[in-house]
Amino acid sequence: MSERDSSRPRSTRTLTVPYTGGAERRGPATMGQANMIRCVLRDDPVHINIYDVWPVPDGTRLEAAIDALRTLVVRHEALRTTFPHASGTAPCEQVVAAEGDFTVTVLDHAELPPDGARYATTVARRARAGRFRLDREFPLRVSVVAQDGAPAFVAVTASHAATDGSALAVLREEWLTLLGGGTLPPVTALTPLGLAAEEAAPAGLRKSEASLRYWERIIRTGPQAMFAEPRATGTDVRVPQLTLRSPRGALALARVAERTGGLPSTVLLTAWCALIAHRTGQTTCVAAVPTSNRFLPRLARTVNTVSQDALLSLDVQVPSFDALLRKAWGAALNAYRHSQFDALRLWEMIGDTTYERGSHFARDIVFNDVSTLPATLAAATPAPDGPEPELSWGPDQMLPTRVLTFVHQTAPVLHLGMWADPGLFTRDETEVFVTGLVRLLEAAGTQDVPFTDLTEVTGVRPVGRDTGWTRVDGCWVSPPAVADALSQALGGLPVHVGVDSPDAGAAPSGAGSSGAGSSDTASEGGAGRHLTAFIASDGSPPTPEKAHAALMAALPGRPGLLAPRRYVIVQGPPAEADRSSAWLRQRILMEGTGRGRGDVT
């Protein structure tokens, strides 16, 4: 039988599985649920639905596998939860059923493909298509992949409104325990309704408010995008997966932790941030760290979705690896403490703050370390048989990020997956990055590594930016590109963008007056330096408000653009259109910040 034929089930049947024994409850949705419901209702289901594949122990009967699933449904309220809501509205309440049923699809094969796990993964990935009906649908789509009636794998596709990757890992671990004849301990982790009650209490509300203030400070002062460079374009991109497996990397990580006294997870995060900041030429590494809010014991094993980002802001302006490591734990803990928030209010704040700042916040980089959780999505990784480190490429995936790193395991094998925007990284450059991470750990395992040596030690080179780029207000910006975008947004009006000197009273310099790597970054990466836009009009001039609104609409997907702090509309362009001083001699028709929203039509 060919491999293609073996991937076709000889029979497919759907079983309805009733359950009873739970308690009926209802209450408000958690902040994490509300956050993911927002994504479930908005995003492509293929991008937001999650999946896992569970291997079935040899000799397991189909009935036993299904009974174990039924036990988990009764045990965990999230699997019995729906989110009723009127059409056209977002759910704000969750209802837990006491009884009900779910379905299991059995795909029986005469013979499975040689790589049965990969085939089961294909089944799970295929089931992501189709949006979950939050008000009525069971939150798991379960398929049993069987050979000649004997179950071999269970392919699970899940609604992200009910579970996250860590919750699926807990379910898999408990399911295997049940099939092995074990007894599950009582549930001690917070239920979704228990978490919702904590969040609604005065202490929980204060925590949420503190999180919003913490995020606003970073959104207002940090780089608007880590990858602000010539090749960074677009938003959602199709990204290939690179997997690294390295016993050498695991040994090096352990040596760094022993030498410095740092936790392995913090050491790895520090090395990754150092390399990202080195590659991007940034003075601060701002990264989303999604698994952080499971660091509390009562949430570590909750079957729920607690998918809310912690926003890490790590100042990398230090001389060496050890100095950065000393800062990283405090920065990470600060991020973890501020990862519980009202997602709707958060995005309202981001919208207001970025409009006022003239920026567009990009969730550019994500670091998701699931290796420290009690149960992980990745099974134990065997040591590579061939060259070390082992690199393998997987399928492409549409992602709204530039770089996504999943850490599955840190010992005895360093196992991580990385997705890097191919517009920024060739395949060779992506491989150099992940192997450079191992090389950095190896170097730091024996001694402190000066950051002046990062290129030599890792092979990773900083991005090149021409003299049209400069740092302004903590961001890398191309003033000529800002001028072009603003001109296009205003129907082709002549525009010049100058860089204001931080010295009081100094006139704006010409666009692009300082180059990449120059020392005129002022404090904190260009703080105190701002842009001024000069707009020439001989007819009906645009207001500063209209100019700002038009440019803000052009920012998404173009991280090299930052809105000017001030708009100056003048009567006609000067002869020397590349000099700010010449524009200042023109008759000024009106000027302002443009941050009011009164006249934007």
Side-chain angles (χ1 to χ4, degrees):
M1 179 180 294
S2 69
E3 181 173 344
R4 182 176 179 181
D5 290 338
S6 64
S7 65
R8 296 174 178 171
R10 66 181 179 187
S11 68
T12 300
R13 56 193 174 115
T14 300
L15 306 177
T16 299
V17 183
Y19 65 84
T20 187
E24 184 175 346
R25 301 209 294 158
R26 69 170 54 220
T30 69
M31 292 179 180
Q33 287 172 333
N35 183 40
M36 295 316 303
I37 286 170
R38 173 179 171 273
C39 298
V40 167
L41 295 177
R42 178 197 64 193
D43 296 348
D44 186 329
V46 171
H47 300 164
I48 193 63
N49 293 337
I50 58 177
Y51 67 92
D52 194 15
V53 171
W54 303 347
V56 180
D58 291 342
T60 300
R61 296 168 55 249
L62 178 61
E63 293 78 6
I66 292 176
D67 283 344
L69 287 169
R70 189 191 340 252
T71 298
L72 295 180
V73 172
V74 175
R75 175 178 170 85
H76 295 293
E77 291 188 355
L79 304 185
R80 296 182 279 115
T81 295
T82 52
F83 302 91
H85 61 285
S87 177
T89 66
C92 58
E93 183 185 41
Q94 56 180 314
V95 175
V96 181
E99 58 185 23
D101 58 58
F102 61 95
T103 60
V104 174
T105 300
V106 181
L107 307 174
D108 196 18
H109 300 71
E111 184 178 339
L112 289 177
D115 192 340
R118 174 170 295 197
Y119 166 65
T121 298
T122 301
V123 172
R125 288 170 60 89
R126 191 183 301 133
R128 292 177 302 167
R131 206 176 302 276
F132 275 90
R133 297 296 302 269
L134 298 175
D135 59 339
R136 69 189 72 164
E137 189 174 352
F138 182 68
L140 302 181
R141 295 170 183 162
V142 182
S143 296
V144 175
V145 176
Q147 178 172 319
D148 200 21
F153 298 95
V154 171
V156 179
T157 304
S159 167
H160 218 328
T163 63
D164 54 22
S166 301
L168 286 184
V170 172
L171 291 174
R172 176 175 60 176
E173 182 188 82
E174 293 186 346
W175 183 74
L176 290 171
T177 297
L178 290 170
L179 292 183
T183 301
L184 298 179
V187 174
T188 57
L190 274 178
T191 63
L193 284 171
L195 178 57
E198 276 198 4
E199 292 172 345
L205 295 176
R206 288 194 298 270
K207 185 175 182 180
S208 177
E209 291 297 323
S211 296
L212 292 178
R213 292 192 298 271
Y214 169 86
W215 275 69
E216 182 178 357
R217 178 182 63 78
I218 297 172
I219 301 297
R220 192 175 293 279
T221 62
Q224 66 165 334
M226 288 299 294
F227 287 97
E229 55 190 70
R231 294 188 292 176
T233 58
T235 49
D236 291 353
V237 291
R238 182 163 290 280
V239 183
Q241 177 186 355
L242 175 63
T243 298
L244 174 140
R245 297 192 307 154
S246 174
R248 215 175 75 201
L251 180 60
L253 178 59
R255 285 174 175 166
V256 182
E258 182 179 5
R259 182 182 68 79
T260 62
L263 294 172
S265 58
T266 308
V267 170
L268 186 59
L269 175 63
T270 302
W272 185 83
C273 286
L275 213 52
I276 286 284
H278 174 68
R279 161 62 178 76
T280 59
Q282 300 282 9
T283 57
T284 302
C285 182
V286 176
V289 191
T291 55
S292 60
N293 34 19
R294 284 183 177 264
F295 80 108
L296 297 172
R298 65 184 185 278
L299 291 176
R301 294 187 61 85
T302 184
V303 173
N304 185 12
T305 184
V306 289
S307 291
Q308 292 189 277
D309 284 343
L311 191 64
L312 173 71
S313 179
L314 180 59
D315 182 357
V316 299
Q317 297 177 102
V318 292
S320 67
F321 183 88
D322 287 8
L324 187 62
L325 179 60
R326 286 192 291 270
K327 297 175 64 174
W329 169 241
L333 189 60
N334 206 20
Y336 299 164
R337 288 171 173 165
H338 296 98
S339 60
Q340 179 180 305
F341 45 78
D342 181 327
L344 295 180
R345 288 191 59 202
L346 176 78
W347 283 103
E348 288 175 359
M349 177 276 292
I350 290 175
D352 291 343
T353 300
T354 52
Y355 197 88
E356 180 182 336
R357 188 186 186 193
S359 61
H360 178 78
F361 171 64
R363 188 177 179 264
D364 255 5
I365 59 173
V366 180
F367 184 83
N368 206 10
D369 186 350
V370 299
S371 68
T372 58
L373 299 176
T376 66
L377 280 174
T381 302
D385 296 329
E388 234 274 64
E390 177 190 87
L391 302 176
S392 59
W393 286 93
D396 291 0
Q397 185 172 345
M398 288 293 294
L399 292 175
T401 60
R402 303 286 184 189
V403 170
L404 166 63
T405 300
F406 258 87
V407 181
H408 298 292
Q409 191 176 353
T410 58
V413 176
L414 178 60
H415 175 198
L416 58 85
M418 177 168 162
W419 293 257
D421 183 348
L424 303 175
F425 292 82
T426 65
R427 288 205 170 199
D428 286 345
E429 288 171 332
T430 307
E431 292 182 357
V432 167
F433 188 92
V434 295
T435 56
L437 184 66
V438 173
R439 292 172 63 180
L440 176 56
L441 292 172
E442 288 181 321
T446 58
Q447 60 184 1
D448 192 9
V449 178
F451 282 161
T452 53
D453 296 345
L454 271 183
T455 298
E456 179 183 356
V457 168
T458 67
V460 176
R461 297 184 177 279
V463 65
R465 296 182 178 92
D466 62 31
T467 55
W469 288 77
T470 187
R471 268 197 234 265
V472 174
D473 191 23
C475 304
W476 277 107
V477 180
S478 171
V482 175
D484 289 345
L486 181 55
S487 175
Q488 292 175 20
L490 295 177
L493 291 179
V495 173
H496 169 76
V497 173
V499 182
D500 293 345
S501 166
D503 299 325
S509 60
S513 61
S514 58
S518 61
S519 60
D520 66 338
T521 57
S523 62
E524 293 292 323
R529 306 175 77 240
H530 303 289
L531 302 178
T532 295
F534 297 91
I535 304 168
S537 177
D538 289 319
S540 176
T543 64
E545 288 75 17
K546 181 177 180 179
H548 186 67
L551 182 57
M552 290 300 295
L555 292 190
R558 304 177 69 181
L561 305 185
L562 190 71
R565 177 62 62 92
R566 195 162 190 81
Y567 299 86
V568 180
I569 293 87
V570 303
Q571 183 73 49
E576 296 179 291
D578 60 340
R579 298 181 61 84
S580 297
S581 57
W583 285 82
L584 285 168
R585 289 193 291 269
Q586 300 297 102
R587 179 190 171 201
I588 296 177
L589 303 177
M590 67 183 84
E591 59 182 310
T593 65
R595 268 53 175 181
R597 302 198 191 211
D599 183 7
V600 296
T601 58

